[in-house]
Amino acid sequence: MTSALPYGSWPSPITAAAASAASSRIDGARFVGEDVWWGEPVPEQAGRVAVRRRGADGTVRDVLPEPWNARSGVHEYGGGAWAAADDGTLYFVEKSDQRIYAVVDGDVRPLTPATGDVRHGGLVWRDGALLAVREAHRPGLRVPDRAIVRVPVDGSAASDADLVVPLVGGSDFLAQPALSPDGTHLAWVAWDHPNMPWERAEVRVGRLDDGVVRTWTAPATGDRSALQPRWLDDETLLYVDDASGRWNLMRWRVGDPAPTASFSPADADTGGGLWVLGLSWYAVAGDRIVAVRTDGADQVVAIDPLSGLAEALPVPAVSGVVVEDARGPKALVSGAAPTGGSGLWVVDTTGGTVSPLREASLPWPDAWTPRATPVAVDGPSGPVYAFAYPPTNPDVVAGDGERPPYVVLVHGGPTAHVGPVASARTAYLTSRGIGVLDVNYGGSTGYGRAYRERLRGQWGVVDVQDVIAAAQGLIEGGLADPARIAIAGGSAGGWTVLGAMVAGDVFGAGISRYGVGDARALAEDTHDFEARYLDGLIGPLPQAEHLYLDRSPLTHAEHFSAPLLLLQGSEDAVVPPAQSEAIRDALAARGIPHAYVLYEGEGHGFRRAETIVHAIESEYAFLGAVFGFDTPGVHAVPLRR
């Protein structure tokens, strides 16, 4: 029987522990012999990334056992931390020392030496060659030394660093190496400070001369973001390029002066923010190209490389889709389906069939997971896109006339994107009677370059205006209780949370996870990958220092008036704890109710199960304390003044 209870206090079978376990994702996937292998974070094992295999009989077992952890530290965000050969050899980067190891019949042995702060990522196995992006941090270097290297797989380089061969360097950043099928050419992505890869990046191609690249050419240059080179044959290179305003597939033949126009243009993006190494938005599967196209939601298509015609494939994933690998006419695709959860599918382009290998399901009935409703509201800079998730509980209804509390979620990046899929954390809230609005504010990917560049020079302005406009849309539509709208986000999303809290009074509470409060301090303290990111988001220093000061929430601490919850990892190298602690001190000085939780051993983004559970419950308890509803079954969060 359905009961009537106040919003926020609805009983739910979705526990924080269940939400933590359901938050896992696919971290790379490959065809290996007759099996399929994939990487997967395991929160209950201190957040380590395991590599698992599914045999032809459907049995799943670990290839990389505890305590090994396949995580790269290149660019701090890592990516591409493992690769596999068809003979069943696993190559991986161990988080603790950033060396590359091989796993053969359960035996783990090092392939690279222990030589200071040297990191590896973006591993690629191709016809007997193991390639990687190497990042060496040395005293006196303003920018770490980065190169694409070939790593001997016989273990000889484990004690002799000179045997690791640099194939090409000479750029501040390198990514996505691709060897031509005949092994004569190397393609890769390169960019330099102050650019980020979604602002200006080049695909470069060089001939291998005695195993190294001595000269190279770029098929296309200028203010464009060219990403993910992949060879169609020995002479033909594919890549994605956003010169038209959308990332579309391009084709170039070695020796040609310039690429042809996109052979399959679409008003959607095949590409995204290159935050981590190893990302793949398309793959060549037989005589078709399997690609993901994004325009708010993701869609998987099969493209004929001759005609450019695209046919939609019935892959259920609509968010975070990655085309992981291909063999013959088959491709591996990962992503999240509307019902939630991260899945893995095999796509057979010969018949357009799709078979699940890992179901995209959550450990509770579908009736408890809200479905996304696309939302567009008018902001000062143009339309603002979001996805709304109403309170969803099949066993409870609200009291007459009551409007629900809502949480406006702000993604990090800020050059990132959320799709139309409720996360486990969102389902935890909506099942308790709290609505969620997930906002792709100006600057987000997935809507073209113009939308992405709306934030150029305007970080702390456009993003703040957009989330306020989204919240006001909830109020004007009668969807939310105007006195009970909170805002939550992490990293760059935390910056927007704090900025919105000092910009007006639409939000009655804020939750900042490792958020930025002082842009000037961030520019001084953050890691190399993002060391010049703020040049484009705010302006170059020292010329734009006044903007850094004016945009920083800490500068306007006197305008904080609503309660805040601050969550922070002690080992965060991207946004150090000093940022959250400065906000905490400013709140205490003004007597604003707040709580600060520091998680020992956590970095930028929480990975351990116990941390995730505590954070989810803390956020729920905080909302109940501020908005006046009961939060049964969770610990209290004492608010200080």
Side-chain angles (χ1 to χ4, degrees):
M1 179 177 292
T2 302
S3 303
L5 292 171
Y7 283 116
S9 60
W10 297 355
S12 169
I14 305 175
T15 65
S20 170
S23 297
S24 191
R25 66 185 189 282
I26 301 298
D27 197 339
R30 300 288 181 271
F31 290 109
V32 182
E34 298 301 314
D35 298 346
V36 172
W37 294 18
W38 68 87
E40 183 176 346
V42 188
E44 61 269 24
Q45 296 176 6
R48 82 177 185 99
V49 176
V51 179
R52 293 174 167 159
R53 67 188 298 175
R54 184 184 189 275
D57 62 356
T59 302
V60 176
R61 65 182 180 87
D62 280 359
V63 183
L64 187 65
E66 290 188 85
W68 299 100
N69 186 353
R71 279 184 59 194
S72 165
V74 174
H75 301 168
E76 296 294 339
Y77 297 112
W82 67 275
D86 277 342
D87 66 1
T89 301
L90 171 68
Y91 303 102
F92 75 98
V93 179
E94 163 56 31
K95 176 185 181 292
S96 61
D97 60 13
Q98 290 298 293
R99 299 170 74 186
I100 299 176
Y101 291 79
V103 182
V104 183
D105 295 327
D107 179 45
V108 182
R109 54 186 175 84
L111 299 185
T112 56
T115 52
D117 190 357
V118 178
R119 311 174 188 182
H120 299 86
L123 272 57
V124 174
W125 172 263
R126 179 69 188 231
D127 297 331
L130 180 63
L131 306 185
V133 176
R134 183 181 67 187
E135 178 181 282
H137 296 250
R138 300 190 179 96
L141 282 181
R142 181 184 62 85
V143 176
D145 180 43
R146 297 184 175 93
I148 294 171
V149 299
R150 185 194 301 263
V151 179
V153 297
D154 60 3
S156 58
S159 57
D160 187 352
D162 291 338
L163 296 179
V164 178
V165 179
L167 303 185
V168 69
S171 301
D172 289 342
F173 302 96
L174 306 103
Q176 300 181 316
L179 274 175
S180 61
D182 62 6
T184 62
H185 289 84
L186 177 72
W188 69 97
V189 173
W191 70 97
D192 295 301
H193 284 307
N195 296 306
M196 300 301 288
W198 44 83
E199 294 172 341
R200 181 170 182 169
E202 291 182 347
V203 165
R204 296 176 179 175
V205 183
R207 185 175 183 85
L208 290 166
D209 183 4
D210 292 330
V212 300
V213 174
R214 304 190 190 281
T215 61
W216 52 265
T217 187
T221 60
D223 291 329
R224 61 213 302 167
S225 171
L227 304 171
Q228 200 197 330
R230 184 154 288 180
W231 294 91
L232 186 62
D233 55 44
D234 291 341
E235 298 291 326
T236 308
L237 185 73
L238 303 175
Y239 63 97
V240 296
D241 185 311
D242 71 344
S244 69
R246 288 286 202 174
W247 275 302
N248 279 185
L249 276 164
M250 307 291 284
R251 179 171 47 218
W252 178 78
R253 288 187 62 81
V254 174
D256 283 357
T260 58
S262 172
F263 60 87
S264 185
D267 190 19
D269 286 317
T270 295
L274 189 61
W275 282 100
V276 297
L277 302 173
L279 283 175
S280 177
W281 297 284
Y282 71 93
V284 180
D287 61 358
R288 292 291 186 271
I289 299 167
V290 176
V292 55
R293 287 176 170 174
T294 304
D295 186 33
D298 295 347
Q299 181 184 50
V300 180
V301 298
I303 301 172
D304 184 330
L306 298 179
S307 68
L309 294 177
E311 177 184 0
L313 294 169
V315 177
V318 294
S319 178
V321 177
V322 177
V323 184
E324 302 277 8
D325 193 17
R327 174 179 290 177
K330 295 182 178 180
L332 277 175
V333 177
S334 68
T339 53
S342 183
L344 182 64
W345 297 268
V346 175
V347 176
D348 190 336
T349 60
T350 56
T353 60
V354 176
S355 304
L357 286 176
R358 183 182 185 272
E359 293 282 1
S361 60
L362 296 172
W364 49 78
D366 285 352
W368 293 85
T369 301
R371 299 301 188 267
T373 299
V375 172
V377 300
D378 291 328
S381 301
V384 182
Y385 301 108
F387 297 103
Y389 303 93
T392 302
N393 186 313
D395 296 340
V396 184
V397 295
D400 291 341
E402 185 187 8
R403 293 181 183 177
Y406 254 80
V407 177
V408 174
L409 293 184
V410 190
H411 66 68
T415 311
H417 178 76
V418 291
V421 174
S423 68
R425 187 186 297 255
T426 290
Y428 178 90
L429 292 174
T430 57
S431 67
R432 285 166 169 77
I434 302 169
V436 171
L437 185 70
D438 223 346
V439 183
N440 281 315
Y441 50 88
S444 300
T445 56
Y447 301 95
R449 187 170 186 122
Y451 194 81
R452 201 165 73 241
E453 291 192 336
R454 188 186 290 181
L455 204 59
R456 188 166 184 82
Q458 296 298 310
W459 192 42
V461 178
V462 166
D463 52 319
V464 170
Q465 292 174 343
D466 283 359
V467 296
I468 291 174
Q472 289 172 334
L474 290 172
I475 297 169
E476 292 167 5
L479 301 176
D481 181 346
R484 296 191 295 173
I485 299 178
I487 183 170
S491 189
W495 155 275
T496 306
V497 166
L498 299 171
M501 296 292 285
V502 300
D505 58 2
V506 68
F507 297 108
I511 300 170
S512 171
R513 309 181 200 105
Y514 35 89
V516 178
D518 183 342
R520 188 69 179 87
L522 179 67
E524 293 174 350
D525 296 339
T526 198
H527 58 122
D528 180 64
F529 178 66
E530 296 179 84
R532 302 290 301 277
Y533 191 13
L534 299 188
D535 283 29
L537 291 174
I538 299 178
L541 288 168
Q543 301 94 312
E545 186 167 13
H546 64 290
L547 293 177
Y548 283 68
L549 294 173
D550 184 59
R551 304 270 180 85
S552 294
L554 266 172
T555 302
H556 308 285
E558 71 277 8
H559 294 303
F560 281 120
S561 59
L564 269 161
L565 173 64
L566 307 169
L567 306 177
Q568 178 70 46
S570 67
E571 297 182 6
D572 193 335
V574 179
V575 181
Q579 291 266 353
S580 290
E581 289 163 4
I583 295 292
R584 175 201 61 192
D585 295 344
L587 296 170
R590 288 188 47 76
I592 305 299
H594 68 279
Y596 173 61
V597 183
L598 182 68
Y599 295 108
E600 293 294 336
E602 290 284 8
H604 197 67
F606 304 147
R607 295 179 177 270
R608 298 175 178 174
E610 59 271 24
T611 301
I612 297 170
V613 168
H614 189 273
I616 291 173
E617 292 185 344
S618 296
E619 293 178 13
Y620 177 48
F622 169 75
L623 293 172
V626 174
F627 290 151
F629 53 77
D630 293 331
T631 56
V634 302
H635 59 268
V637 176
L639 297 180
R640 302 178 182 275
R641 289 184 177 269

Coordinates of all heavy atoms in Angstrom, one line a residue, residues 194 199 455-461 495 499 502 516-526 530-557 579:
P194 N 49.6 27.4 -23.5 CA 48.6 27.4 -22.4 C 47.3 26.7 -22.8 O 46.3 26.8 -22.2 CB 48.3 28.9 -22.2 CG 48.4 29.5 -23.6 CD 49.6 28.7 -24.2
E199 N 40.8 22.9 -26.6 CA 40.9 24.2 -27.2 C 41.7 24.2 -28.5 O 41.3 24.6 -29.5 CB 41.6 25.1 -26.2 CG 40.8 25.4 -24.9 CD 41.6 26.1 -23.8 OE1 42.8 26.2 -23.9 OE2 40.9 26.7 -22.9
L455 N 32.2 29.6 -22.0 CA 32.8 29.8 -20.7 C 34.2 30.5 -20.9 O 34.8 30.8 -19.9 CB 33.0 28.5 -20.0 CG 33.1 28.5 -18.5 CD1 31.9 29.2 -17.8 CD2 33.3 27.1 -17.9
R456 N 34.7 30.7 -22.1 CA 36.0 31.2 -22.3 C 36.1 32.6 -21.7 O 35.4 33.5 -22.1 CB 36.4 31.2 -23.8 CG 37.8 31.6 -24.0 CD 38.3 31.2 -25.5 NE 39.7 31.5 -25.7 CZ 40.7 30.7 -25.3 NH1 40.4 29.6 -24.7 NH2 41.9 31.0 -25.5
G457 N 37.0 32.8 -20.8 CA 37.2 34.1 -20.1 C 36.1 34.4 -19.1 O 36.1 35.5 -18.5
Q458 N 35.1 33.5 -18.9 CA 33.9 33.8 -18.1 C 33.7 32.8 -17.0 O 32.5 32.7 -16.5 CB 32.7 33.9 -19.0 CG 32.7 35.0 -20.1 CD 32.8 36.4 -19.4 OE1 32.0 36.6 -18.5 NE2 33.7 37.2 -19.8
W459 N 34.7 32.0 -16.6 CA 34.5 31.1 -15.5 C 34.2 31.8 -14.3 O 35.0 32.8 -13.9 CB 35.7 30.2 -15.4 CG 35.5 29.0 -14.5 CD1 34.4 28.2 -14.5 CD2 36.4 28.4 -13.6 NE1 34.6 27.1 -13.6 CE2 35.8 27.3 -13.0 CE3 37.7 28.8 -13.2 CZ2 36.5 26.5 -12.0 CZ3 38.3 28.0 -12.2 CH2 37.7 26.9 -11.6
G460 N 33.2 31.4 -13.5 CA 32.8 32.2 -12.4 C 31.7 33.2 -12.7 O 31.2 33.8 -11.7
V461 N 31.4 33.3 -13.9 CA 30.3 34.2 -14.3 C 29.2 33.4 -15.0 O 28.1 33.2 -14.5 CB 30.8 35.3 -15.3 CG1 29.6 36.2 -15.7 CG2 31.9 36.2 -14.6
W495 N 33.7 25.0 -7.2 CA 33.9 26.4 -7.5 C 32.5 27.1 -7.8 O 32.2 28.1 -7.3 CB 34.9 26.6 -8.6 CG 34.8 27.8 -9.4 CD1 34.0 28.1 -10.5 CD2 35.6 29.0 -9.2 NE1 34.3 29.4 -11.0 CE2 35.3 29.9 -10.2 CE3 36.6 29.4 -8.3 CZ2 35.9 31.2 -10.3 CZ3 37.2 30.6 -8.4 CH2 36.9 31.5 -9.4
G499 N 30.6 29.9 -5.8 CA 30.2 31.1 -6.5 C 28.8 31.5 -6.5 O 28.4 32.6 -6.3
V502 N 27.6 32.8 -3.1 CA 27.8 34.2 -2.7 C 27.2 35.2 -3.7 O 27.2 36.4 -3.5 CB 29.4 34.5 -2.7 CG1 30.0 33.7 -1.6 CG2 30.0 34.3 -4.0
V516 N 37.0 24.6 -5.5 CA 37.9 25.7 -5.6 C 37.3 27.0 -5.0 O 36.2 27.4 -5.4 CB 38.3 26.0 -7.1 CG1 39.3 27.2 -7.2 CG2 38.9 24.7 -7.7
G517 N 38.0 27.6 -4.0 CA 37.5 28.9 -3.5 C 38.4 30.1 -3.8 O 37.9 31.2 -3.8
D518 N 39.6 29.8 -4.2 CA 40.6 30.9 -4.5 C 41.2 30.6 -5.9 O 42.1 29.7 -5.9 CB 41.6 31.0 -3.4 CG 42.6 32.1 -3.6 OD1 42.7 32.6 -4.7 OD2 43.2 32.5 -2.6
A519 N 40.9 31.3 -6.9 CA 41.4 31.0 -8.3 C 42.9 31.3 -8.3 O 43.7 30.6 -9.0 CB 40.7 31.7 -9.3
R520 N 43.3 32.3 -7.6 CA 44.8 32.7 -7.7 C 45.6 31.6 -7.0 O 46.6 31.2 -7.6 CB 45.0 34.0 -6.9 CG 46.4 34.5 -7.1 CD 46.6 35.0 -8.5 NE 48.0 35.5 -8.7 CZ 49.1 34.8 -9.0 NH1 49.0 33.5 -9.1 NH2 50.2 35.4 -9.2
A521 N 45.1 31.0 -5.9 CA 45.8 30.0 -5.2 C 45.8 28.7 -6.1 O 46.8 28.0 -6.2 CB 45.2 29.7 -3.9
L522 N 44.7 28.5 -6.8 CA 44.7 27.3 -7.7 C 45.7 27.4 -8.8 O 46.4 26.4 -9.1 CB 43.3 27.2 -8.3 CG 43.1 26.0 -9.3 CD1 43.1 24.7 -8.6 CD2 41.7 26.1 -10.0
A523 N 45.8 28.6 -9.4 CA 46.8 28.8 -10.4 C 48.2 28.5 -9.9 O 49.1 28.0 -10.7 CB 46.7 30.2 -11.0
E524 N 48.5 28.8 -8.7 CA 49.8 28.6 -8.1 C 50.1 27.2 -7.7 O 51.2 26.7 -7.8 CB 50.0 29.6 -6.9 CG 50.0 31.1 -7.3 CD 50.0 31.9 -6.0 OE1 49.9 31.4 -4.9 OE2 50.2 33.2 -6.2
D525 N 49.1 26.5 -7.2 CA 49.3 25.2 -6.6 C 49.0 24.0 -7.4 O 49.4 22.9 -7.1 CB 48.4 25.1 -5.3 CG 48.8 26.2 -4.3 OD1 49.9 26.7 -4.3 OD2 47.9 26.5 -3.4
T526 N 48.2 24.1 -8.5 CA 47.7 23.0 -9.1 C 48.8 22.3 -10.0 O 49.8 22.9 -10.2 CB 46.4 23.3 -10.0 OG1 45.7 22.1 -10.3 CG2 46.8 24.0 -11.3
E530 N 46.8 21.2 -15.7 CA 45.9 22.3 -15.6 C 46.6 23.6 -15.2 O 45.9 24.6 -14.9 CB 44.8 22.0 -14.6 CG 43.9 20.8 -15.1 CD 42.8 20.5 -14.1 OE1 41.8 21.2 -14.1 OE2 43.0 19.6 -13.2
A531 N 47.9 23.7 -15.3 CA 48.6 24.8 -14.8 C 48.3 26.1 -15.6 O 48.3 27.2 -15.0 CB 50.1 24.6 -14.9
R532 N 47.9 26.0 -16.9 CA 47.5 27.1 -17.7 C 46.0 27.1 -18.1 O 45.6 27.9 -18.9 CB 48.4 27.2 -18.9 CG 49.9 27.3 -18.6 CD 50.3 28.6 -17.9 NE 50.0 29.8 -18.8 CZ 50.8 30.2 -19.8 NH1 51.9 29.6 -20.0 NH2 50.5 31.3 -20.5
Y533 N 45.3 26.2 -17.5 CA 43.9 26.1 -17.9 C 43.1 27.4 -17.6 O 42.2 27.8 -18.4 CB 43.3 24.9 -17.0 CG 41.9 24.4 -17.4 CD1 41.2 24.8 -18.5 CD2 41.2 23.6 -16.5 CE1 40.0 24.3 -18.8 CE2 40.0 23.1 -16.8 CZ 39.3 23.4 -17.9 OH 38.1 22.9 -18.2
L534 N 43.5 28.0 -16.5 CA 42.8 29.3 -16.2 C 43.1 30.4 -17.1 O 42.3 31.4 -17.1 CB 43.1 29.7 -14.7 CG 42.7 28.6 -13.6 CD1 43.0 29.2 -12.3 CD2 41.3 28.2 -13.8
D535 N 44.1 30.3 -17.9 CA 44.4 31.3 -18.9 C 43.2 31.5 -19.8 O 42.8 32.6 -20.2 CB 45.6 31.0 -19.8 CG 46.9 31.2 -19.1 OD1 47.0 31.1 -17.8 OD2 47.9 31.5 -19.8
G536 N 42.6 30.4 -20.2 CA 41.4 30.4 -21.1 C 40.1 30.6 -20.3 O 39.2 31.3 -20.8
L537 N 40.0 30.1 -19.1 CA 38.8 30.3 -18.3 C 38.6 31.6 -17.7 O 37.5 32.1 -17.6 CB 38.8 29.2 -17.2 CG 38.6 27.7 -17.7 CD1 38.7 26.8 -16.5 CD2 37.3 27.5 -18.4
I538 N 39.7 32.2 -17.3 CA 39.7 33.6 -16.7 C 40.5 34.6 -17.5 O 40.0 35.6 -17.9 CB 40.1 33.5 -15.2 CG1 39.2 32.6 -14.4 CG2 40.1 34.9 -14.6 CD1 39.6 32.4 -13.0
G539 N 41.8 34.3 -17.6 CA 42.7 35.2 -18.3 C 44.1 34.9 -17.9 O 44.4 34.2 -16.8
P540 N 45.1 35.3 -18.6 CA 46.5 35.0 -18.3 C 47.0 35.9 -17.1 O 46.5 37.1 -16.9 CB 47.3 35.4 -19.5 CG 46.5 36.4 -20.2 CD 45.1 36.0 -19.9
L541 N 47.8 35.4 -16.3 CA 48.4 36.1 -15.2 C 49.8 36.7 -15.6 O 50.5 36.1 -16.4 CB 48.6 35.2 -13.9 CG 47.3 34.8 -13.2 CD1 47.6 33.7 -12.2 CD2 46.7 36.0 -12.5
P542 N 50.2 37.8 -15.1 CA 49.5 38.6 -14.1 C 48.5 39.6 -14.6 O 47.8 40.3 -13.8 CB 50.7 39.4 -13.4 CG 51.6 39.6 -14.6 CD 51.5 38.4 -15.4
Q543 N 48.3 39.7 -15.9 CA 47.5 40.8 -16.5 C 46.0 40.7 -15.9 O 45.4 41.7 -15.7 CB 47.4 40.6 -18.0 CG 48.8 40.8 -18.7 CD 49.4 39.5 -18.9 OE1 49.5 38.6 -18.0 NE2 49.9 39.3 -20.1
A544 N 45.5 39.5 -15.7 CA 44.1 39.3 -15.3 C 44.0 39.0 -13.8 O 42.9 38.5 -13.4 CB 43.5 38.1 -16.1
E545 N 45.0 39.4 -13.0 CA 44.9 39.1 -11.6 C 43.6 39.7 -10.9 O 43.1 39.1 -10.0 CB 46.1 39.6 -10.9 CG 46.2 39.1 -9.4 CD 47.6 39.3 -8.8 OE1 48.4 40.0 -9.4 OE2 47.8 38.8 -7.7
H546 N 43.2 40.8 -11.4 CA 42.0 41.4 -10.8 C 40.8 40.6 -11.0 O 39.9 40.5 -10.2 CB 41.8 42.8 -11.4 CG 41.5 42.9 -12.9 ND1 42.5 42.6 -13.8 CD2 40.4 43.1 -13.5 CE1 41.9 42.7 -15.0 NE2 40.7 43.0 -14.9
L547 N 40.7 39.9 -12.2 CA 39.6 39.0 -12.4 C 39.7 37.8 -11.5 O 38.6 37.3 -11.0 CB 39.6 38.5 -13.9 CG 39.3 39.6 -14.9 CD1 39.4 39.1 -16.3 CD2 38.0 40.3 -14.7
Y548 N 40.9 37.2 -11.3 CA 41.0 36.1 -10.4 C 40.5 36.5 -9.0 O 39.8 35.7 -8.3 CB 42.5 35.7 -10.3 CG 43.0 34.9 -11.5 CD1 43.1 35.5 -12.7 CD2 43.3 33.6 -11.3 CE1 43.6 34.8 -13.8 CE2 43.8 32.8 -12.4 CZ 43.9 33.4 -13.7 OH 44.4 32.7 -14.7
L549 N 40.8 37.6 -8.5 CA 40.4 38.1 -7.2 C 38.9 38.3 -7.2 O 38.2 37.9 -6.3 CB 41.1 39.4 -6.8 CG 42.6 39.2 -6.6 CD1 43.3 40.6 -6.4 CD2 42.9 38.3 -5.4
D550 N 38.4 39.0 -8.2 CA 37.0 39.3 -8.2 C 36.1 38.0 -8.4 O 35.0 38.0 -7.8 CB 36.7 40.2 -9.4 CG 35.2 40.7 -9.4 OD1 34.8 41.3 -8.4 OD2 34.5 40.5 -10.4
R551 N 36.5 37.0 -9.1 CA 35.7 35.8 -9.4 C 35.8 34.9 -8.2 O 34.9 34.0 -8.1 CB 36.2 35.1 -10.6 CG 36.2 36.0 -11.9 CD 35.0 35.9 -12.7 NE 35.1 36.8 -13.9 CZ 35.6 36.4 -15.0 NH1 36.0 35.1 -15.1 NH2 35.7 37.2 -16.0
S552 N 36.8 34.9 -7.4 CA 37.0 33.9 -6.3 C 35.9 34.1 -5.2 O 35.8 35.2 -4.7 CB 38.4 34.0 -5.7 OG 39.4 33.7 -6.7
P553 N 35.2 33.0 -4.9 CA 34.3 33.1 -3.8 C 34.8 33.6 -2.5 O 34.2 34.3 -1.7 CB 33.8 31.6 -3.7 CG 34.0 31.1 -5.0 CD 35.2 31.7 -5.5
L554 N 36.1 33.3 -2.2 CA 36.7 33.7 -0.9 C 36.8 35.2 -0.9 O 36.8 35.8 0.2 CB 38.1 33.1 -0.8 CG 38.2 31.8 0.0 CD1 39.6 31.3 -0.1 CD2 37.8 32.1 1.5
T555 N 36.9 35.9 -2.0 CA 37.0 37.4 -2.0 C 35.7 37.9 -1.5 O 35.6 39.1 -1.0 CB 37.2 37.9 -3.4 OG1 38.5 37.3 -3.9 CG2 37.3 39.4 -3.5
H556 N 34.6 37.2 -1.7 CA 33.3 37.7 -1.3 C 32.7 36.9 -0.1 O 31.4 36.7 -0.1 CB 32.3 37.7 -2.5 CG 32.9 38.3 -3.7 ND1 33.0 39.7 -3.9 CD2 33.5 37.8 -4.9 CE1 33.5 40.0 -5.0 NE2 33.9 38.9 -5.6
A557 N 33.5 36.5 0.8 CA 33.1 35.7 1.9 C 32.0 36.3 2.7 O 31.2 35.6 3.4 CB 34.3 35.3 2.8
Q579 N 42.3 24.8 0.1 CA 41.2 25.5 -0.5 C 40.0 25.4 0.3 O 39.3 26.3 0.7 CB 41.0 25.0 -1.9 CG 42.1 25.4 -2.9 CD 41.8 26.6 -3.7 OE1 40.7 27.2 -3.6 NE2 42.7 27.1 -4.4

